[in-house]
Amino acid sequence: MDYRLVIFGLSVSVAFLICSEAPSVKMTNAVCKSYNKSWVAVHYCRLKAYSRNKTSLNINATFIEPAYHISLHLKMMKKASGYKPFLFDYTIDACEFMRRRNQPVAKIIWNMIKDVSTINHTCPYMGLQMLSDFYSIQFPVQLPTGEYLLLLDWYFDGKPQFATNVYFTFVEDFLTQKK
Ligand SMILES: *[C@@H]1O[C@H](CO)[C@@H](O)[C@H](O)[C@H]1NC(C)=O
Ligand SMILES: *[C@@H]1O[C@H](CO)[C@@H](O)[C@H](O)[C@H]1NC(C)=O
Ligand SMILES: *[C@@H]1O[C@H](CO)[C@@H](O)[C@H](O)[C@H]1NC(C)=O
Ligand SMILES: *[C@@H]1O[C@H](CO)[C@@H](O)[C@H](O)[C@H]1NC(C)=O
């Protein structure tokens, strides 16, 4: 995916969002899995329901050994007779990102979770990692109404260690869609 395209898309959407009704984003499922239980133990990975249209995400996992080289594969999917790739699919160096905050889509995610997670520091990461009661989704992109899946695959030393996958629905205008 061409970053310039993403940035262009984001700026257009931000402008659009500011003038439009707040769209409704709701997380509908969260699935975390460890590929290597001697490095990552996932204790808890669950949504909490607040209301019909609001859920919060809670993740609690332990990195048993320190992780010095972390990369993140971000992939967005949209449901259309099965989930199909949508909008972005690429890998970033997470340690470099934490030093330089240099990647626009990762920065959107970072801005949403920085206050409710334990990740606000640079590499290495070790021990308990948490995302607590995350619900404030400020997604600056106007997406078409539908069901989405954000796949986050975490690599340590270039090898997949765990995944945090979040399903969500995006409704452009909740009230007109409700009936
Ligand atoms: C799994 O984790 C162990 C413990 O940290 C590590 O030594 C090993 O290289 C990891 N295996 C893979 C395939 O990443
Ligand atoms: C994280 O999960 C583990 C295992 O369920 C639990 O023992 C621990 O108390 C949890 N930590 C926090 C801070 O929630
Ligand atoms: C969504 O939830 C909020 C908070 O619970 C509530 O105020 C709002 O009316 C709900 N919107 C719809 C369309 O159900
Ligand atoms: C992240 O850490 C930096 C440096 O300690 C601090 O200045 C900043 O306020 C922190 N941000 C958040 C969201 O906690």
Side-chain angles (χ1 to χ4, degrees):
M1 185 88 209
D2 188 330
Y3 287 158
R4 281 165 303 180
L5 202 64
V6 171
I7 292 166
F8 174 74
L10 291 184
S11 356
V12 169
S13 315
V14 167
F16 181 70
L17 259 190
I18 288 167
C19 323
S20 71
E21 285 293 302
S24 171
V25 188
K26 182 189 169 190
M27 293 178 283
T28 55
N29 195 13
V31 178
C32 304
K33 53 184 176 251
S34 172
Y35 302 126
N36 182 355
K37 295 202 167 74
S38 57
W39 208 335
V40 178
V42 176
H43 307 296
Y44 195 87
C45 174
R46 216 172 286 173
L47 295 179
K48 177 174 162 191
Y50 276 102
S51 70
R52 204 161 121 330
N53 61 13
K54 185 176 161 192
T55 53
S56 80
L57 175 60
N58 294 274
I59 298 175
N60 165 351
T62 300
F63 296 175
I64 294 148
E65 304 282 334
Y68 291 93
H69 305 285
I70 305 177
S71 54
L72 171 61
H73 180 197
L74 304 107
K75 184 175 182 177
M76 177 103 124
M77 313 278 273
K78 182 176 192 298
K79 196 170 184 182
S81 58
Y83 282 93
K84 303 276 161 58
F86 180 82
L87 200 60
F88 56 79
D89 177 355
Y90 56 85
T91 300
I92 63 159
D93 180 330
C95 293
E96 190 190 7
F97 176 78
M98 292 309 291
R99 285 194 309 267
R100 300 178 45 210
R101 309 276 151 76
N102 57 347
Q103 209 290 323
V105 176
K107 202 163 174 179
I108 292 168
I109 297 176
W110 160 249
N111 279 327
M112 290 193 282
I113 67 169
K114 62 183 182 184
D115 295 331
V116 292
S117 73
T118 53
I119 68 169
N120 187 19
H121 61 87
T122 50
C123 291
Y125 283 78
M126 187 177 175
L128 185 63
Q129 313 295 324
M130 285 202 304
L131 178 68
S132 307
D133 206 22
F134 163 67
Y135 62 83
S136 167
I137 304 177
Q138 322 260 298
F139 212 67
V141 193
Q142 180 71 25
L143 301 171
T145 291
E147 292 176 51
Y148 293 87
L149 168 56
L150 179 63
L151 296 163
L152 301 178
D153 255 309
W154 300 85
Y155 291 70
F156 298 168
D157 295 343
K159 291 176 218 134
Q161 305 297 335
F162 71 107
T164 47
N165 300 334
V166 180
Y167 294 76
F168 63 95
T169 55
F170 194 98
V171 177
E172 283 173 75
D173 181 340
F174 208 95
L175 292 175
T176 56
Q177 301 282 332
K178 221 166 76 164
K179 41 185 165 345

